[in-house]
Amino acid sequence: MTQLKGKNILVTGGAGFIGFHLTKKLTELGANVTIYDNLSSGKLENIKDNPKATFTKGDILDLKKLLALPKFDVIYHLAAQVVVPYSMENPTEDFETNARGTLNVLEKARKDKARLIFASSAAVYGNPTKLPTPEEYGFHPFSCYGLSKVVGEEYAQIYTLQYGLEITILRFANVYGSRCHGVINDFMDKLQKNPDKLEIIGTGQQARDFVHVSDLAEALVLAAGENAVGKTFNLGFGKTTKIIDLANMMLKILKLTNKTKVTTTNVSWQGDINTIWFDITKAKKELNWTPKIRIEDHLQTLIAERKML
Ligand SMILES: NC(=O)c1ccc[n+]([C@@H]2O[C@H](COP(=O)([O-])OP(=O)(O)OC[C@H]3O[C@@H](n4cnc5c(N)ncnc54)[C@H](O)[C@@H]3O)[C@@H](O)[C@H]2O)c1
């Protein structure tokens, strides 16, 4: 097991969905964790529920403030603008946060000689023609968000090459779990408001690789190990689920099959991807990580947490 006990760890974006779960795990392992977050999409509640972590409110675009933080051994860089349609409407803002912001965090890592773990995304693959998609498929972004993550990855590679920084790049598939945002949360919101109808944005035939946040947090811890230095990993479940099937699974759990009218807009948002399905062979072999939670088994828990059953 990766030894993080007593290590000083910075988690940018630690007030967000994934940051919350990661921070909790790191403090349980005995690490001294500092969350650095501007709370643009992160929540104070996530900070309050992680009392063992120290919180500094700040922006990754504020290089001076970032560099003035104490010295860290490990940095998890999760802070980002995470919404694909928003990136298409606000490409310069997306670029600032995800590209320049990542460069600033790399500068902090360079100053501290810290180990860096960077949260990238399936969006760097765009609409892959190879499924399941392995890491070496390479960059084919299809949205401004995907491109800004590519830029972050490319800067990380240069910092490894030129400054010898120890970096691991993790490309996440669709992460879900308690406190999540995204399609599952969206469907629960809609059905809670009105169980008579459910509108799916797009054709419903889009498919996603859903990985549970507790499996992901385990991989994030393993990624701080020596054997992950200089490597890039896909983190997904290694299976793909159509959005229409996801909707039907949820309706079945809620006993709403044949009661809720499901419609599709047929037109999706700009930059939307058709199918995400990760090849996770490399993470299994080299990180020694195997995701355990299947979405079909976990949906019931998520729905119950919302008190919808
Ligand atoms: N959730 C997913 O399915 C998914 C999939 C692929 C990649 N990712 C990546 O994982 C990371 C975490 O995503 P998440 O789902 O937890 O999103 P999130 O929106 O819940 O968390 C992002 C956090 O970053 C903070 N933040 C944003 N801009 C900032 C800035 N300029 N300075 C400081 N803090 C800032 C937000 O306040 C928020 O707390 C992101 O890098 C995202 O791109 C997530």
Side-chain angles (χ1 to χ4, degrees), residues 235-251:
L235 298 178
F237 194 82
K239 202 184 135 227
T240 196
T241 305
K242 281 189 184 169
I243 298 304
I244 185 76
D245 294 338
L246 173 77
N248 285 330
M249 277 191 263
M250 293 175 77
L251 293 179

Side-chain angles (χ1 to χ4, degrees), residues 282-295:
K282 188 175 173 191
K284 279 185 173 171
K285 267 197 204 145
E286 297 179 32
L287 265 189
N288 202 14
W289 172 76
T290 303
K292 297 177 195 73
I293 301 174
R294 298 179 342 139
I295 186 154

Side-chain angles (χ1 to χ4, degrees), residues 12-20 36-43 46 58-62 77-83 96-98 101 118-123 145 149 170-176 179-182 211 216:
T12 73
F17 157 53
I18 297 170
F20 166 76
Y36 186 77
D37 199 300
N38 68 356
L39 297 180
S40 53
S41 63
K43 298 193 172 91
N46 290 341
D59 200 302
I60 52 169
L61 291 172
D62 188 345
H77 175 38
L78 305 184
Q81 187 302 110
V82 304
V83 184
E96 279 294 301
T97 308
N98 294 2
F118 172 48
S120 184
S121 162
Y145 169 74
K149 285 288 182 185
L170 303 175
R171 297 178 183 148
F172 304 165
N174 272 62
V175 191
Y176 72 98
R179 304 178 190 230
C180 71
H181 48 80
V211 61
L216 187 91

Side-chain angles (χ1 to χ4, degrees), residues 289-303:
W289 172 76
T290 303
K292 297 177 195 73
I293 301 174
R294 298 179 342 139
I295 186 154
E296 47 275 49
D297 299 333
H298 193 77
L299 274 177
Q300 174 118 9
T301 309
L302 273 184
I303 291 171

Side-chain angles (χ1 to χ4, degrees), residues 44 57 68 71 73 98 106 114 116 122 129 133 155 168 188 190 199 204 224 238 252 274 295-296:
L44 262 182
K57 186 168 180 208
K71 187 178 183 307
D73 306 304
N98 294 2
L106 281 161
L116 184 91
T129 49
T133 312
Y155 266 108
T168 302
M188 289 196 289
K190 284 178 177 168
E199 184 184 68
K252 194 170 170 203
N274 206 20
I295 186 154
E296 47 275 49

Side-chain angles (χ1 to χ4, degrees), residues 12-68:
T12 73
F17 157 53
I18 297 170
F20 166 76
H21 292 274
L22 171 66
T23 304
K24 204 149 189 94
K25 189 159 185 90
L26 293 173
T27 52
E28 277 163 17
L29 290 171
N32 308 314
V33 181
T34 299
I35 293 168
Y36 186 77
D37 199 300
N38 68 356
L39 297 180
S40 53
S41 63
K43 298 193 172 91
L44 262 182
E45 181 190 309
N46 290 341
I47 307 279
K48 286 199 190 108
D49 293 349
N50 265 334
K52 283 188 185 155
T54 306
F55 174 52
T56 300
K57 186 168 180 208
D59 200 302
I60 52 169
L61 291 172
D62 188 345
L63 182 60
K64 220 170 144 188
K65 189 163 186 174
L66 201 52
L67 293 180

Side-chain angles (χ1 to χ4, degrees), residues 246-279:
L246 173 77
N248 285 330
M249 277 191 263
M250 293 175 77
L251 293 179
K252 194 170 170 203
I253 293 167
L254 288 160
K255 298 194 173 47
L256 287 171
T257 311
N258 300 326
K259 287 186 189 144
T260 302
K261 185 172 164 33
V262 180
T263 57
T264 57
T265 61
N266 280 324
V267 182
S268 194
W269 58 86
Q270 216 178 353
D272 189 22
I273 287 168
N274 206 20
T275 301
I276 296 173
W277 179 11
F278 273 4
D279 181 338

